[in-house]
Amino acid sequence: MSTKRGFVETDTCPSDCTPYTTYQEAHNALQALKHTSHAGILEHAERALLTVSAQHLPSAIRQIGVRLATIACAHPEPNSASIAASLVRALKDADPSIRCEIYASLITLHEIKSQFHTFLSPEVTNALGQCVRTDVNHSQHHLRSAAVACLQIVGGNNGVRRFTDDAHPKVRQTALSVIQRQQMVGKELGAEMYGECVAATLDDAEQVRMIAVSLVWAIGSQYAKHVSLHNLRLLDDAFIKVCDMVNDSSMLVRQRACLILGRFRR
C-alpha cells in the first residue's frame, strides 16, 4: 500500500530517511541519480527534500538537495506534483540563495514538463505566486532575477515588462528572455512593446542587447504594416535598427544582427 510520509508518496522508501549532511554525500547522490532504480529515486527524492528543509545545513548542501529533488521530479516514476509542491513550501523559510535555486528548478521543470502548470494545486500555485511577487522586489538582484523568471509560471506575464528597465542588467536580461520565450511559443507580444525593445538595443549590457535585437526583428515582422514613430512601416524601421546593430561594440551582438538581417523578407 502506498503511503504519504512527509514529502513523497511511496511504497518502498524507508521510514528512516535522513537528509544529506555533507557536500560530498549530496554530490555523490547527484552523480549517481541517473543510474538509480525506481526505489532509489524515491529515497533520493525524500532525502533531497529533507535536506532542502534542514535549516542547520550549509546552503551549498541544501542547493544540491534542490537539484536532486528537481532531477527526481523530472523522472517519470515519482509523484512530481508532490515533489514540486514540497519545493514551493520550502521557499517560505529558505534564505535567498536557496530560493534562487528553487526558482531555477521550478523553471527547469516548467520547461521540460509540458503540463507542469497542471501539477500544482491552486493552493500551491497561490503560495508560489505570493513568494514570487515578494521576491521580484528584493534588494538582491540574483533573487529578483530568479523571481522574475518564475512570473511565467504563476500567470504574471504582463508584469514582466516593468523589469526590462530594472537597475541591474541581469534582471533586465531575464525579463527580456521571458518575453522572448513567450514570443517563441506563439504568444502575441503587442506592437506597443516594439519601442521598449528598441530602447533595450542601447543597453550597456551585451546580453540585453543580444536579446533585444532579436525581439526588434520578431515584433517588427509580426506587425510589419504598423507605422512606427518615424512614420515608417514597423518592418522597415526594424530593418534600420538591426542594421545599426551591425556596428555594435560587441562582436557577439554584431554576429546576431548579421544573422537576423538574413531573415528579412520584403
Side-chain angles (χ1 to χ4, degrees), residues 211-255:
I211 302 170
V213 69
S214 296
L215 285 171
V216 165
W217 168 78
I219 299 174
S221 299
Q222 184 175 354
Y223 298 98
K225 295 183 179 180
H226 279 57
V227 179
S228 73
L229 294 175
H230 302 97
N231 292 321
L232 295 171
R233 288 193 317 156
L234 215 57
L235 183 62
D236 294 333
D237 194 84
F239 179 79
I240 293 171
K241 295 297 186 295
V242 175
C243 285
D244 289 342
M245 300 303 290
V246 173
N247 296 314
D248 191 88
S249 60
S250 164
M251 182 184 69
L252 292 176
V253 176
R254 295 197 300 270
Q255 288 178 337

Side-chain angles (χ1 to χ4, degrees), residues 18-241:
T18 58
Y20 299 105
T21 56
T22 67
Y23 182 89
Q24 191 62 49
E25 182 186 22
H27 186 266
N28 289 343
L30 188 63
Q31 296 301 312
L33 190 57
K34 65 181 73 174
H35 306 298
T36 304
S37 65
H38 168 61
I41 288 172
L42 292 172
E43 181 176 352
H44 279 307
E46 181 78 8
R47 294 191 68 187
L49 291 169
L50 289 171
T51 302
V52 174
S53 299
Q55 300 288 332
H56 64 283
L57 291 175
S59 293
I61 299 175
R62 295 171 66 200
Q63 286 175 345
I64 295 181
V66 175
R67 294 170 200 167
L68 277 164
T70 305
I71 295 172
C73 192
H75 197 277
E77 296 295 345
N79 185 335
S80 297
S82 178
I83 298 174
S86 297
L87 287 174
V88 172
R89 286 194 293 270
L91 281 168
K92 182 178 179 181
D93 299 317
D95 61 46
S97 64
I98 302 301
R99 295 210 298 278
C100 284
E101 195 72 44
I102 292 175
Y103 285 141
S105 294
L106 292 174
I107 285 296
T108 298
L109 293 171
H110 177 68
E111 292 175 349
I112 66 176
K113 295 259 189 180
S114 59
Q115 298 299 315
F116 177 75
H117 63 282
T118 65
F119 292 170
L120 304 180
S121 68
E123 294 77 14
V124 174
T125 301
N126 288 337
L128 175 59
Q130 291 175 6
C131 292
V132 168
R133 292 182 181 95
T134 297
D135 287 339
V136 292
N137 297 309
H138 199 275
S139 60
Q140 293 188 21
H141 73 270
H142 291 295
L143 181 54
R144 204 160 66 246
S145 175
V148 167
C150 270
L151 282 171
Q152 59 189 304
I153 300 178
V154 298
N157 286 332
N158 292 333
V160 174
R161 287 177 58 184
R162 74 181 178 95
F163 296 100
T164 58
D165 60 354
D166 188 271
H168 198 280
K170 178 62 177 175
V171 181
R172 299 196 297 272
Q173 177 188 346
T174 298
L176 286 173
S177 294
V178 171
I179 293 169
Q180 186 177 41
R181 281 196 293 271
Q182 293 172 350
Q183 184 270 327
M184 292 175 67
V185 298
K187 180 178 174 61
E188 292 189 6
L189 300 181
E192 66 277 4
M193 284 201 60
Y194 179 78
E196 297 174 27
C197 294
V198 169
T201 63
L202 303 176
D203 198 280
D204 292 337
E206 173 188 79
Q207 292 303 317
V208 173
R209 300 198 304 276
M210 287 272 288
I211 302 170
V213 69
S214 296
L215 285 171
V216 165
W217 168 78
I219 299 174
S221 299
Q222 184 175 354
Y223 298 98
K225 295 183 179 180
H226 279 57
V227 179
S228 73
L229 294 175
H230 302 97
N231 292 321
L232 295 171
R233 288 193 317 156
L234 215 57
L235 183 62
D236 294 333
D237 194 84
F239 179 79
I240 293 171
K241 295 297 186 295

